[in-house]
Amino acid sequence: MKSLKNLCIFTLLVAFVVGMPFLSSAQDKIKITVACGAVGLEKQLTDEALAEFMKNHPNIEAKSLDTPDLANDRLGLYLQFFQAKSSEVDVFQIDVIWPGDLAEHLVDLNQYGAADVAKEHFPAIVQNNTVNGELKGIPWFTDAGLLYYRTDLLEKYGYKEAPKTWDELEAMATKIQEGERASNPDFWGFVWQGNAYEGLTCDALEWVASHGGGSIIEPDGNVSINNDMAIKALERAKGWVGTISPAGVTGFAEEDARNMWQAGNAAFMRNWPYAYKLGQADDSPIKGKIGVAPIPGEKAGQSAASLGGWQLAVSKYSKHPKEAAEVALYLASAAEQKRRAIVGSFSPTVMSVYQDKEVLEAVPFFGNLYDVFINAVARPSTISAPKYNEVSTLFFTAAHDVLTGKKDGKTAVEELELDLQDLMAKK
Ligand code: GLC
């Protein structure tokens, strides 16, 4: 009995001594936390990349931290970390509209090796991420608003190609919806992002710009939103609510639209590139029936896509900015962008990836619609920084008021103009 007890004690001792080095090495590891998105394939892709990174960096333990899907909620969370000067998160996935607003909390990545690789990325995005000469984020993926359509349904109803104008889209959506309703009462013509949040800023900017109504605040600071074409654009979108789009679209974000579309219940959808690969998954009811085209215009050729996209930034409050930057640069590297493009249709920011055969095969519209990506319309974040978030909130609130019938288009843009002028004067 006694010898059994001794054996147990001895075994425990051995286990402890043998385990010590492992325990201490785990403790000595530098921990890097990456706050990032988790929509669709995002989390899986990021976690796979971090696992790969750790294989070659045994001294670093890198993990992802899920953040809210909606850009505004994500920003709210980030601001809490920043205001507390928290070192809990080292790397932040930041929106293309945030470098100016968040600059004071972020390190200059050029000091941590990014200067060597920045030239591989689209110069306009690098420029966007540069604040007072400092690179505040390394581009990870870019986004442009796209029109998704059901190739099978266009064919069934006798249409040869995607609509080039909003009038055409309305006519096609109406006809397809009427026809499909006979067998599917849940079917709608067109789904998009109408909730009062950053996504509506993107959609509504597309409506306005594709009507020739400018881009809310122009790069020279002129508040341009109070014009007839902007009014026409907003009134047109209001006309979709409850006709070709569900009444509930005024509460829709990207994933709400995608869920309806991917279930086979919509003819057209406005969304970002990520929706493509998810819709082409083996278990997707619309696999093989997805077309992608530029957003229509008021006239053919007057298409406009909002520029979106995400960067990786390193917090000034990180205890390990060097290692954090290493993680960020690895995630944003050409090889990783290629993998994310193929698996998840995330549009690269590294220009050469658009020439890669495997990428073009996996996501053909990266080739066909290359122009859409490079000509996308920027939201007025640079000119209004550090107040862009307030500008956007005023804009999407005004657009939402029109969509829900709270205000007519003319009143909404007149009031918005004054509010924006006020805000810009105080900046
Ligand atoms: C996408 C875009 C981002 C935009 C957001 C709005 O994630 O990449 O730039 O702000 O959608 O919902």
Side-chain angles (χ1 to χ4, degrees):
M1 198 56 196
K2 198 167 173 222
S3 67
L4 184 66
K5 195 176 164 196
N6 282 344
L7 184 69
C8 284
I9 292 171
F10 179 72
T11 317
L12 278 175
L13 257 174
V14 170
F16 185 71
V17 171
V18 172
M20 262 312 264
F22 294 104
L23 274 178
S24 68
S25 78
Q27 269 161 7
D28 290 349
K29 279 194 184 191
I30 292 171
K31 293 196 174 65
I32 299 295
T33 300
V34 183
C36 53
V39 175
L41 298 166
E42 277 191 295
K43 185 175 169 54
Q44 174 199 324
L45 281 164
T46 307
D47 287 345
E48 284 166 359
L50 293 176
E52 193 60 33
F53 176 86
M54 286 188 281
K55 278 191 203 158
N56 301 317
H57 296 81
N59 61 323
I60 297 179
E61 190 186 319
K63 64 174 199 316
S64 65
L65 174 77
D66 292 3
T67 59
D69 291 357
L70 299 195
N72 303 75
D73 298 343
R74 200 175 284 174
L75 181 63
L77 176 73
Y78 288 8
L79 289 174
Q80 287 179 23
F81 282 115
F82 289 140
Q83 270 147 20
K85 296 195 169 29
S86 166
S87 62
E88 225 170 289
V89 177
D90 304 277
V91 180
F92 285 89
Q93 173 183 339
I94 66 163
D95 202 328
V96 69
I97 48 186
W98 298 342
D101 282 17
L102 298 182
E104 59 178 304
H105 306 292
L106 306 171
V107 306
D108 176 12
L109 289 172
N110 281 332
Q111 306 293 322
Y112 295 95
D116 301 335
V117 289
K119 55 186 175 301
E120 296 173 11
H121 298 260
F122 285 124
I125 303 180
V126 172
Q127 181 60 38
N128 174 79
N129 297 359
T130 305
V131 183
N132 298 329
E134 297 190 0
L135 186 67
K136 297 299 188 179
I138 187 80
W140 197 13
F141 61 98
T142 187
D143 259 340
L146 301 168
L147 181 72
Y148 287 81
Y149 62 95
R150 285 279 299 276
T151 49
D152 58 326
L153 294 180
L154 258 61
E155 201 186 315
K156 176 171 168 191
Y157 291 88
Y159 298 113
K160 293 208 167 53
E161 53 178 22
K164 292 206 166 56
T165 65
W166 290 113
D167 287 343
E168 282 168 14
L169 177 134
E170 287 164 3
M172 289 159 100
T174 306
K175 187 166 161 187
I176 299 174
Q177 181 176 301
E178 271 168 22
E180 291 302 294
R181 282 275 174 95
S183 57
N184 178 2
D186 298 329
F187 195 89
W188 288 96
F190 183 32
V191 291
W192 37 278
Q193 293 74 44
N195 196 0
Y197 78 119
E198 189 59 37
L200 177 56
T201 291
C202 298
D203 285 42
L205 171 61
E206 283 162 2
W207 308 331
V208 170
S210 69
H211 280 72
S215 54
I216 315 167
I217 304 175
E218 302 308 308
D220 64 2
N222 175 39
V223 174
S224 63
I225 190 64
N226 183 6
N227 68 75
D228 289 347
M229 295 320 281
I231 296 171
K232 185 169 179 188
L234 294 173
E235 294 281 358
R236 183 197 283 277
K238 179 191 171 20
W240 301 333
V241 180
T243 59
I244 55 171
S245 307
V249 77
T250 56
F252 272 23
E254 285 83 356
E255 284 291 272
D256 305 299
R258 187 180 66 81
N259 287 334
M260 195 171 263
W261 154 260
Q262 198 163 314
N265 292 336
F268 295 100
M269 170 177 73
R270 184 274 175 208
N271 217 322
W272 307 103
Y274 84 98
Y276 182 73
K277 273 284 161 180
L278 294 172
Q280 294 287 38
D282 284 339
D283 61 355
S284 162
I286 57 168
K287 181 181 179 183
K289 300 173 180 168
I290 303 176
V292 184
I295 302 280
E298 203 248 338
K299 302 187 193 74
Q302 205 173 245
S303 162
S306 285
L307 173 72
W310 293 85
Q311 341 300 314
L312 290 165
V314 172
S315 165
K316 263 195 183 149
Y317 318 115
S318 164
K319 291 203 180 95
H320 308 287
K322 184 174 156 286
E323 289 77 10
E326 267 184 79
V327 172
L329 293 183
Y330 175 76
L331 293 176
S333 65
E336 257 307 296
Q337 292 206 2
K338 174 176 170 176
R339 192 178 71 90
R340 291 171 56 90
I342 292 173
V343 181
S345 55
F346 288 97
S347 349
T349 59
V350 172
M351 292 175 283
S352 62
V353 182
Y354 286 87
Q355 262 110 57
D356 189 291
K357 281 210 180 65
E358 288 167 280
V359 169
L360 293 176
E361 210 169 288
V363 191
F365 67 82
F366 283 167
N368 313 339
L369 301 185
Y370 184 71
D371 285 354
V372 171
F373 288 97
I374 55 173
N375 295 321
V377 182
R379 285 162 277 173
S381 52
T382 303
I383 185 68
S384 63
K387 297 225 175 266
Y388 169 72
N389 196 46
E390 289 170 56
V391 165
S392 181
T393 304
L394 288 169
F395 178 62
F396 68 63
T397 306
H400 199 256
D401 285 348
V402 177
L403 294 176
T404 53
K406 218 166 139 189
K407 285 182 189 156
D408 61 80
K410 187 162 178 294
T411 311
V413 298
E414 277 170 8
E415 292 178 5
L416 177 62
E417 177 184 47
L418 295 177
D419 288 343
L420 289 177
Q421 283 168 343
D422 234 31
L423 189 66
M424 292 297 280
K426 283 198 212 115
K427 204 170 68 70

